[in-house]
Structure formats: C-alpha cells, structure tokens
Amino acid sequence: MSQSNKRPYHHGDLKRAIVETAQDMLGEDKGWQFTLREVARRAGVSHTAPYKHFPDKAALLAELATSGFRKLRQVVAAATTRRSRSSRDEFIAAAKAYIQFGISNPSLYRLMFSADVERSAFPELHEAGLSAFAELVGILERGQQIGSFKAQPVQGQAAACWSLVHGFTLLSIEQQLLPEKVGAHPIDGVLATLLAGIEA
C-alpha cells in the first residue's frame, strides 16, 4: 500500500489511529481475522506500536465492541428523545433504530455479541453493554408507569423484547427475511406482534 493511502498518524494520537484503522478493516473484511501487525501496517506505524495501548488482539476487539455498544446506546437514545410520543411509538422508534444500526454495521454488530470477545475480562465493555440495554429497560419502565405496558417484571419483559429484536436484526443482516416468507415489510408485523404481548 502506498504511503498516500495510509491513515494519517500524528504523534500522541496513536490509539485513535489504531482503533479507526481496525474499524475500517472490520467493515472491509466482514470479520475480524486481521492481526495487530496488519492493523499497524495499514495505520502506517511500526508493528509494535499497537502494543502500547493493546496488549493483544482481544483487547483491540474489546475496544471496538465497547465503542459499538456506546454508539448503539446513542442511536437508541436519540430515537426516543421526543417524550411526548406514546409508549408504543417510543418503543417502535427505538426498535427500528436498533435494527438499522445492526444492518448498517453488520461486522461490528456481530463482533459486539461474539464469543470471541470475553466480556468478563473487559469491564468497560460489560458496562457499555449494560448501558445500551438500559435504554430498552427505561422505555419499558416508563410504559409500565403510565399503564401502557403490562405490569410484569421488567427484566423479563426486556429480555423477551431484546431477544426478538436482536434475532430480527441478525436475520436481516444474513438476508434471510425473504418476501416470500415474511412479506414485503416484516418489521412492522414483527413489532406489532411483539407489542401485542406487552401492551396493557
């Protein structure tokens, strides 16, 4: 690769250069089979440079996944900022934002939930995942408080909703939601069916 094609690197900004290069490679390769040496080469730094911030590849992958959960939380939160809308509309907006995030970032989304990233070893990743999940819990709690959603244990309700939306997202990424199977606009039917189970 020519020097002009390498990501510009400035002293003191090594971590950002490594992370952004790895993000690019994650999207290009549709996976995370790259090595730290390959990331360093693409970033235009020495092959030992990544180790100044990441002791191994697992740590870099955890950084990417953590960033992914933070972005997901922001996307879902932004979709639910209009508090004047109904609980149903808020839930649908959040679910569609979640699904669109996954479809738009398929490799990152897979990595975020991959067993290749050991969450117990990376507290920041664990916290980022909990924070993203808390957005869903908040929507359900608000809905229960005003009587829009059934008064059920909110964690169980959230787990059911997340399982369905997460599964729908993965099926969308894998292009398995064929019109002859699920119709032309399956997301609306899926969310309507889900809401029928939680609305009061």
Side-chain angles (χ1 to χ4, degrees):
M1 178 176 292
S2 67
Q3 184 68 32
S4 62
N5 289 331
K6 292 179 180 178
R7 179 179 291 279
Y9 162 64
H10 302 286
H11 180 69
D13 211 9
L14 174 62
K15 184 176 181 180
R16 181 190 64 81
I18 294 299
V19 170
E20 291 185 357
T21 299
Q23 288 173 338
D24 291 344
M25 297 177 73
L26 186 68
E28 293 168 7
D29 298 341
K30 295 181 171 52
W32 44 94
Q33 303 309 310
F34 52 76
T35 65
L36 285 181
R37 181 180 288 268
E38 290 170 332
V39 174
R41 179 180 59 80
R42 280 281 297 270
V45 299
S46 72
H47 70 273
T48 60
Y51 294 97
K52 294 179 181 179
H53 293 284
F54 305 104
D56 51 30
K57 179 181 172 180
L60 176 57
L61 294 181
E63 180 78 15
L64 295 176
T66 300
S67 176
F69 277 114
R70 288 172 178 164
K71 290 175 182 175
L72 176 60
R73 186 198 65 77
Q74 291 171 356
V75 165
V76 172
T80 60
T81 53
R82 287 175 49 200
R83 299 299 185 209
S84 60
R85 68 176 71 183
S86 68
S87 297
R88 180 185 182 88
D89 288 343
E90 186 179 14
F91 182 92
I92 290 173
K96 288 187 174 181
Y98 181 108
I99 293 166
Q100 187 56 52
F101 174 86
I103 294 173
S104 300
N105 304 277
S107 296
L108 176 60
Y109 187 81
R110 290 191 185 98
L111 175 64
M112 288 160 59
F113 296 99
S114 172
D116 289 350
V117 181
E118 188 179 350
R119 280 152 183 76
S120 61
F122 302 100
E124 287 190 7
L125 171 58
H126 180 66
E127 289 301 319
L130 289 178
S131 181
F133 190 70
E135 291 295 325
L136 169 60
V137 174
I139 293 169
L140 296 174
E141 286 178 337
R142 290 191 291 274
Q144 287 189 15
Q145 288 168 1
I146 63 175
S148 297
F149 298 146
K150 294 176 181 176
Q152 299 172 330
V154 72
Q155 286 185 316
Q157 202 174 61
C161 294
W162 176 45
S163 297
L164 190 148
V165 173
H166 176 67
F168 185 94
T169 303
L170 288 177
L171 288 171
S172 297
I173 289 172
E174 298 298 336
Q175 299 181 342
Q176 293 298 311
L177 298 172
L178 303 177
E180 57 267 31
K181 288 183 178 179
V182 296
H185 304 288
I187 186 172
D188 295 325
V190 165
L191 294 180
T193 300
L194 173 57
L195 282 162
I198 68 171
E199 286 183 312

